[in-house]
Amino acid sequence: MISEIRFKAIALIFFLIITTIAVAGSGFVFLSDTTSKLFYASNNEIYTPDKQELLYFQKGNIFFKGTIDDRNNIFLLTTSMNANSDNLEAVYEKDTRQALYSFSNYKFYLGKDQTEDYRQKSELIHIQHIKKWLAFYSSINDTLLAFYNADSLPSSTAIIVAYTLIKKFDLEKKITTQLNRPKLMQNAFSTIKPAWGNATANEWMWDGKVFRPRWNPDPDLAWTFDGETIKPQYASSVNAQYTWDGENFKPYWSTNRNLEWTWDGRLIKPIWNTDWANQYTIEDGEIKPWSNNYPDREWKLDGDIPMPLIILVISGIARAN
């Protein structure tokens, strides 16, 4: 169940943009930065954000491109248009016999495999239904990607939105890389370390439960993350606890703007600091300032580490010694 903290954070975002939502049966699909729009949807039709061009429309279990329901215009075929189906449903691209994706209970997977173990490893996107809203999260790092008013739009809209987000954020490639990693590595841990200099002095490892320095066994330096709260594993100070709502990182019990960070799907950056050298991109396992060359602020990522733990390190909050 989604926590009250995450609900309040998302509810605030939705309150700020609610005046831009159109009449029942239509509405914008917003990206996580709350200003960029992915689509304008009206009943079973999906338009460009300026509402000028019809991109897709749904008829039965088919999404067509353009305006004509001709075989040549088939874009996607599904076994159901209910994103919350209890059954494992399949998504096919035009003229394919093998399911590219599958979904069930607001979760989207790579391929179509009935085994629970595979689905856990291949989950691409999960959707949170919060009162009237649907929020789409990357299952790789629990990052908010997009959202819309579910009461205004049919369930089928969630399918075309999830498909588009998988393509837009290259989630298929990322999950395939993860699945193809050697089995030993999959069962071990992921790491983040400085790209230059003495990497061992500040290398961190994540085993899915505990985040700690790789080469310093001091238990007081370890952290835990449960999907929403980041805190020291053993220390009890409330001032060292932080929250994550899928987009924003901030102190749990206090207001300290110097410790507030955000991830908008493109940049990792402080919310209240405009220093370009402190705004980072992440691509192909490399984390670096996006504006200029700062080798001392570059990091190497091996495996998958949740975004708030990456922020914990690059912000300097976490110390390896």
Side-chain angles (χ1 to χ4, degrees):
M1 179 179 293
I2 192 165
S3 72
E4 182 180 356
I5 294 171
R6 173 177 282 186
F7 171 75
K8 288 181 177 178
I10 296 175
L12 177 59
I13 294 174
F14 295 156
F15 175 78
L16 293 174
I17 56 87
I18 194 169
T19 57
T20 66
I21 298 298
V23 297
S26 63
F28 288 106
V29 180
F30 287 86
L31 292 173
S32 61
D33 62 8
T34 76
T35 57
S36 300
K37 297 166 184 172
L38 183 67
F39 294 133
Y40 177 77
S42 180
N43 296 314
N44 67 331
E45 298 177 338
I46 305 294
Y47 292 82
T48 53
D50 61 7
K51 307 183 187 179
Q52 298 301 306
E53 180 184 355
L54 178 62
L55 297 173
Y56 317 107
F57 69 95
Q58 173 247 327
K59 186 175 181 180
N61 281 359
I62 300 176
F63 286 101
F64 293 92
K65 293 177 64 176
T67 60
I68 303 174
D69 57 347
D70 183 87
R71 187 185 186 283
N72 292 328
N73 292 338
I74 291 176
F75 182 63
L76 293 178
L77 302 91
T78 67
T79 55
S80 171
M81 284 292 171
N82 179 12
N84 197 27
S85 171
D86 289 332
N87 299 319
L88 186 63
E89 309 292 352
V91 178
Y92 300 87
E93 291 183 335
K94 179 183 178 181
D95 296 329
T96 60
R97 295 178 177 271
Q98 186 173 357
L100 185 63
Y101 307 118
S102 56
F103 60 89
S104 177
N105 297 312
Y106 283 147
K107 293 181 179 181
F108 285 75
Y109 309 97
L110 179 63
K112 187 175 187 286
D113 193 307
Q114 297 288 343
T115 63
E116 181 66 27
D117 180 64
Y118 177 84
R119 291 203 301 273
Q120 288 180 353
K121 294 177 180 177
S122 67
E123 185 179 317
L124 298 161
I125 282 179
H126 60 277
I127 303 173
Q128 296 282 4
H129 193 182
I130 311 165
K131 292 192 174 180
K132 294 183 178 181
W133 306 90
L134 284 190
F136 295 74
Y137 291 86
S138 163
S139 296
I140 297 173
N141 56 15
D142 199 35
T143 297
L144 178 66
L145 302 177
F147 53 87
Y148 71 81
N149 185 334
D151 280 0
S152 293
L153 301 170
S155 176
S156 60
T157 303
I159 297 173
I160 197 69
V161 168
Y163 175 89
T164 303
L165 293 173
I166 290 169
K167 297 297 186 182
K168 180 178 179 62
F169 293 100
D170 216 9
L171 301 185
E172 182 177 349
K173 176 183 176 181
K174 293 175 181 177
I175 208 71
T176 299
T177 299
Q178 182 174 304
L179 289 170
N180 289 337
R181 288 166 59 202
K183 185 174 179 61
L184 177 62
M185 190 63 188
Q186 289 183 30
N187 294 333
F189 50 82
S190 300
T191 62
I192 180 173
K193 61 183 178 182
W196 309 98
N198 186 2
T200 58
N202 200 22
E203 181 175 0
W204 291 79
M205 58 184 290
W206 166 247
D207 62 9
K209 296 181 180 179
V210 178
F211 187 61
R212 64 177 179 82
R214 184 173 184 181
W215 306 108
N216 189 336
D218 185 348
D220 290 336
L221 300 177
W223 298 75
T224 62
F225 174 55
D226 62 7
E228 296 166 1
T229 304
I230 310 99
K231 62 182 180 180
Q233 184 178 19
Y234 295 110
S236 58
S237 173
V238 296
N239 293 322
Q241 298 183 21
Y242 301 86
T243 65
W244 174 248
D245 63 11
E247 182 181 7
N248 298 308
F249 173 102
K250 59 181 60 178
Y252 196 117
W253 298 106
S254 63
T255 300
N256 186 338
R257 291 186 168 182
N258 292 326
L259 300 178
E260 295 184 13
W261 286 67
T262 186
W263 161 245
D264 62 7
R266 186 176 64 92
L267 289 178
I268 313 167
K269 61 183 180 181
I271 294 177
W272 304 103
N273 185 331
T274 58
D275 182 2
W276 287 1
N278 221 18
Q279 299 184 19
Y280 298 83
T281 61
I282 178 170
E283 185 175 359
D284 296 329
E286 295 184 352
I287 303 170
K288 58 179 63 177
W290 75 274
S291 58
N292 289 296
N293 185 24
Y294 295 95
D296 60 323
R297 298 191 184 191
E298 296 182 12
W299 298 82
K300 288 284 189 181
L301 186 63
D302 183 15
D304 298 301
I305 295 178
M307 182 56 65
L309 299 181
I310 292 175
I311 292 174
L312 202 69
V313 172
I314 66 176
S315 67
I317 295 174
R319 301 290 183 178
N321 49 53

